Amino acid sequence: MAEKTEYENEKVGYVDEKVVGGDALELSEEPEIENSKIEAVRLVVPITDDPTLISVTFRFWVLSFIFSVIGSVINQYYYFRTTTGTFSIFFVNLASYGLGKGMARTLPKGRLTIGGYAMSFNPGPFNIKEHALIGIAVSTAASSAYAIDILSASDLYLHHRIEAFGALVLIITTQCLGYGMAGVLRKYLVYPAEMVWWSNLVQIVFYNAMHNTNEFKQKRMVFGWSYMKFFWIVCGTLFVYEFIPQWIAPLLVYFDWLCWINPFNENFWAIFSSMTGGGTLSLSFDWTSIGGSALYLPFAAQLCAYGGMVLAYWIILPIMWMTNALGTKTYGHPLTSHLFYENGTRFDVLNYLNADYSLNEAQYNAGPSAQMTPMYALCFFFSFIALAGCVVHIIFFHGAEIWKNWKMVNSVEDEDIHTKMMKVYPEMPQLWYAIFYVIMLGLSIMVCEVYGLQLPWWGMLVACVISWFLTLPICAMNAITGFGPGLNVITELICGYMLPGKPIANMTFKCYGYMAMYQCMNLVSDLKLGHYMKIPPRAMFVAQFWGTLVGGIFNYFTMIVIINSRRSYLDGTEQDPNGLWTGVSPDTFWGSALIYGALGPKRMFDPHGNYGFVFYGFLIGAIIPAILWGLSKKFPSVQWSKFNVAIIAGGMSQYPNGYVVGVLPSLFFVVLFQYYLFRYHKSWWSKYTFILSAALDTGAAFTGLFIFLFLGGGISPSLAVNIPSWWANYYTPEGDNAPYLMVNRCGAANYNWTSGTL
């Protein structure tokens, strides 16, 4: 406690002197006390610590397990839904705070002993470090593991289910390879002050506001409510409301009002249907189609993203459909990842696969070739623009800063104050991380060789080399600028050329190559949060691995339950009459594997074929940021850097399979919150936005989970409750939506289109 007092006294003296000098926000060249070089970090992150606080407690194990289970189940549930929802970390932080305080008041003081390890049921007040550690563990768990794409695609489209042990090893190893990388690279990506990891600063403010001051409890919301009361009332209200669009009236999810002018006309269906077409000017009254991030993400970035969606699906798609460009109408669906023959009939790759799921080239070459739909090809084109545009945008607009900071990263001088303060805790030895990485790599090779994933041991090593080669610069860019490219497209391309005719190998290579970098980035970001919060490094390792383990296990079992109960809707053999269940996510993943894996990029993107142009996306993505950078030098008064071609192209490739839902209502909330309220009512925005976002997302997520478990037959098919057919939930006794194609009352059943023009 003496160390804490010393830091506090120094800090008070420094702040008082700067205020008297009239310069409360700037550091002098020779500050009286040491602090971070980064101004935002100086203003947000305290330079105090209490090393006596225990972070790994009985409360940590209980609360992190509960919220990890809930988060992993909810996110896996939404993986198979037509609308997406999130398990808000703000809800976890708020709820775990209340429950942690309650446990501190009620739990006995006895001890729990397991083997040679003992801990107290109640070591004292619920403290800020165990609170942050719970959030870190849950954030690691509360996602859908990327390996679920492989497992669900193999199960649904190849009718091959990997047994439970192999599936769990696949999930855990794909999630954990990044651990070893994060540990080895933390010297460059965590310790330097320049490696800020900006999103962590929001969490720092949140935790310190709740634990170090009474502001959170004293600040009153509307009607004098406390923050927690406001949260629970909004959350509960939306929980009740969401039963209307998610269960009683699914038409409100896809309110395609323009299509109702002529619902049985093919052109109206292709352009205005938000389920299978462009969704032009479609509305949605379901919060999960909007999402809380619309309330607080940067205004310019969101305009770029939604602008890209509008350009691709409301402008380019209608033009291509009406002009039949590249034979768009031939395939009958404007947006789908399925492959077709040139005459528009469905191509089934299963007819051309050997027993080991590799391509039978002689059989394939003897018949007509497979074709993808033009809009699906354009989505690859847009994704290539996004990848190249991201790298070049960062180089041109942030290159000088990155290079300067990169030289500082490798410097042993001017060690950050927070790194010095962390030396009081035992470090995780570099050798431990290396051993952990080797073990995970060995298990990865084992699962690839034993369970028929088509990826040879040397292919696994190539995936690791790619991730090692690109992880350090990509993570450094994310730490400094908050943005960076992914490796999913590059890994697909490399494996497609390296192992042609092997779709499962392509999925596996992509999963390991991409996820090693992605997980390393997430884990390093969490390590930086622990660095700021002064959580012991070994406690951080325990929390991250614990969250990954719990999340992966419950991801898998949730996937099995959903596939077993909704298989026909997910594999496309039946259409969900309510339009709520979909296999779009695994279907997109599988479609990509077919293009890059079974058929190979040489065939699908033949320079002499229809889609040889897609690789020009790399060139376009590289040129546009350079032009914008030149314009920024010529016209410096214009903020050219906010015109981000990477984000625009990312929005353009957002919906390769349709379900263009929520664009217009999302734009409404973006303009309302990020332009009007943020600009003209900033105090209101800062007070309500984040808690409102958390409450809305959480309420919608719990509605979906409740419907699935208790009304949709998730626990038992005998418990399923179906809403009778009515205008906003129309279906026939046979289970279809005739005379309409789908529940949005847009399109003709059996594609019996009426004549007429748009």
Side-chain angles (χ1 to χ4, degrees), residues 134-151:
I134 290 168
I136 289 169
V138 175
S139 67
T140 307
S143 64
S144 176
Y146 206 57
I148 292 294
D149 288 282
I150 299 176
L151 300 173

Side-chain angles (χ1 to χ4, degrees), residues 360-379:
N360 187 322
E361 296 194 20
Q363 184 180 356
Y364 177 80
N365 293 332
S369 61
Q371 300 289 327
M372 69 180 77
T373 61
M375 280 303 297
Y376 191 55
L378 280 178
C379 284

Side-chain angles (χ1 to χ4, degrees), residues 527-715:
L527 285 176
K528 188 68 175 188
L529 176 59
H531 197 74
Y532 287 143
M533 298 295 297
K534 310 303 176 293
I535 299 175
R538 297 183 182 183
M540 287 293 301
F541 180 85
V542 169
Q544 290 177 315
F545 183 69
W546 168 244
T548 302
L549 189 64
V550 173
I553 291 172
F554 281 90
N555 278 162
Y556 172 73
F557 286 110
T558 304
M559 178 201 73
I560 294 298
V561 170
I562 292 176
I563 289 180
N564 287 344
S565 62
R566 296 289 186 271
R567 178 181 292 273
S568 61
Y569 296 156
L570 303 180
D571 64 14
T573 56
E574 290 184 48
Q575 189 73 45
D576 180 8
N578 291 324
L580 299 178
W581 293 99
T582 179
V584 163
S585 294
D587 190 36
T588 302
F589 196 80
W590 174 238
S592 183
L594 291 179
I595 294 170
Y596 286 106
L599 302 177
K602 286 184 179 180
R603 288 188 180 89
M604 300 309 300
F605 302 128
D606 187 338
H608 303 292
N610 287 338
Y611 306 129
F613 66 86
V614 298
F615 290 113
Y616 286 106
F618 289 113
L619 180 62
I620 294 173
I623 290 176
I624 293 178
I627 295 174
L628 294 174
W629 180 80
L631 290 173
S632 71
K633 298 301 180 183
K634 182 70 174 178
F635 307 101
S637 60
V638 179
Q639 294 180 309
W640 296 99
S641 63
K642 291 188 176 181
F643 186 83
N644 194 316
V645 67
I647 301 177
I648 294 171
M652 297 176 77
S653 62
Q654 187 72 27
Y655 301 105
N657 274 295
Y659 293 100
V660 188
V661 182
V663 175
L664 197 59
S666 296
L667 276 170
F668 169 78
F669 280 100
V670 169
V671 174
L672 175 63
F673 275 82
Q674 287 300 96
Y675 179 77
Y676 176 72
L677 292 176
F678 182 78
R679 175 168 294 191
Y680 299 109
H681 302 279
K682 187 169 290 188
S683 61
W684 191 99
W685 183 93
S686 63
K687 184 178 180 181
Y688 284 94
T689 296
F690 290 102
I691 192 70
L692 183 62
S693 170
L696 293 172
D697 283 350
T698 303
F702 274 120
T703 305
L705 184 63
F706 184 92
I707 292 173
F708 170 66
L709 293 177
F710 302 109
L711 302 176
I715 294 178

